[in-house]
Amino acid sequence: MKNLFLLVLLFGYLNLWSQGKGKITYLVSLEKSTFEAPYENPENTQEQNDALELLHNAQNVESYLIFNDSVSGYYVEDKDTPKFEHVDGAISINPTVVHLTWIRAGGERYFYTDWSRDYNISTFDLMGEKKRLISKTIHWTITEEKKEIKGYLCQKAIDSSNEKRVAWFTKEIFVKHGPRGVNGLPGMILEFYDNKFSYIVQDIELDYQEFEEIYEPMEGDLITNEELKSLAGNPFGN
């Protein structure tokens, strides 16, 4: 009888997600405490101080994941894009207008996942041309460490190729999605740490009623990470 009751709950849950959608809001921040202050070290060059100023001026941003059982779309709140200035014939960027955290969180890119065909892409512009970047599957090492986040029991997982990338996921939201195209775990990712950047869940709506389409980008050539690096280095730090 108990097993029958559990099956009824499971099928009800799966039916809900096959018809509805949810929305998760993350707060993306940069951990600044380990960086020295600009101009604190007299041996630093002007370029080093400019870089430190960029880091310390980084502001928190919100990002959003719209999802159902198989597909998801992730994007970042609108911000002014970085403005390039011409100074004495050289191109420079004013640190006050560069939203470093916004860029790292995803910037103007849109991340789309469809687990029914193991398909993960993100959109971006490369020298004025739209491209769709194919994301590689992340291989995770799932640990026994657990904690509670927003009332959900979560488990820790570490990127097998980069121990500084850590995710906390919950099987209580049984979909394989997460922020910024980071996914593939047996449950929703509620926290993600990528070196000094963190993506922390702020709000969870499991019955999201607003009309907000999870759309698949179709414009632009498909490109791999290797092809991108050969053309433009590694602009996204993936």
Side-chain angles (χ1 to χ4, degrees):
M1 187 67 181
K2 182 179 178 181
N3 289 338
L4 178 60
F5 178 70
L6 289 174
L7 283 173
V8 170
L9 283 178
L10 175 61
F11 282 117
Y13 178 83
L14 291 175
N15 185 56
L16 169 67
W17 281 110
S18 66
Q19 299 176 18
K21 63 182 176 185
K23 180 177 183 178
I24 289 186
T25 301
Y26 298 93
L27 185 69
V28 187
S29 9
L30 171 64
E31 175 54 57
K32 307 174 188 178
S33 62
T34 57
F35 299 114
E36 63 184 83
Y39 305 102
E40 184 177 64
N41 185 347
E43 295 184 2
N44 283 348
T45 64
Q46 183 59 48
E47 289 76 15
Q48 288 172 318
N49 285 318
D50 286 345
L52 288 168
E53 193 172 0
L54 278 173
L55 292 168
H56 282 277
N57 285 340
Q59 301 296 313
N60 297 346
V61 298
E62 284 191 346
S63 63
Y64 311 99
L65 180 72
I66 312 296
F67 64 94
N68 61 27
D69 57 340
S70 61
V71 302
S72 69
Y74 168 89
Y75 61 95
V76 186
E77 65 175 308
D78 288 337
K79 291 283 185 184
D80 292 333
T81 54
K83 297 176 177 59
F84 295 87
E85 298 179 343
H86 293 267
V87 180
D88 296 329
I91 298 176
S92 65
I93 305 176
N94 186 335
T96 61
V97 297
V98 175
H99 300 287
L100 186 62
T101 311
W102 177 81
I103 294 170
R104 185 59 185 170
E108 294 184 319
R109 299 168 70 191
Y110 179 79
F111 294 77
Y112 176 80
T113 295
D114 183 349
W115 280 110
S116 69
R117 51 198 173 110
D118 198 19
Y119 184 66
N120 284 276
I121 62 166
S122 61
T123 63
F124 68 99
D125 286 342
L126 180 63
M127 293 178 286
E129 294 185 7
K130 292 190 178 297
K131 301 289 184 182
R132 293 176 293 162
L133 180 65
I134 302 169
S135 299
K136 287 184 175 180
T137 301
I138 299 175
H139 298 286
W140 297 99
T141 300
I142 298 175
T143 74
E144 294 300 317
E145 191 173 347
K146 296 178 181 179
K147 69 175 180 178
E148 188 175 290
I149 301 172
K150 293 285 186 180
Y152 292 91
L153 180 62
C154 295
Q155 197 165 347
K156 182 179 179 180
I158 302 170
D159 185 338
S160 301
S161 64
N162 184 350
E163 62 181 15
K164 292 182 179 180
R165 288 162 56 92
V166 175
W168 289 88
F169 70 97
T170 178
K171 295 179 180 178
E172 295 173 20
I173 307 177
F174 197 62
V175 292
K176 299 194 293 182
H177 302 305
R180 202 181 180 274
V182 178
N183 48 40
L185 285 162
M188 175 65 77
I189 295 174
L190 298 187
E191 288 185 5
F192 174 59
Y193 298 88
D194 187 1
N195 201 343
K196 300 292 184 181
F197 291 91
S198 62
Y199 301 69
I200 309 296
V201 66
Q202 300 297 296
D203 189 47
I204 301 172
E205 298 177 70
L206 294 184
D207 187 18
Y208 185 54
Q209 297 295 328
E210 297 294 326
F211 178 76
E212 191 168 354
E213 183 183 4
I214 306 172
Y215 68 91
E216 178 181 349
M218 302 300 293
E219 186 178 358
D221 294 335
L222 288 169
I223 186 172
T224 65
N225 240 323
E226 289 72 21
E227 291 170 327
L228 176 61
K229 288 176 184 178
S230 69
L231 291 171
N234 192 12
F236 305 128
N238 290 338

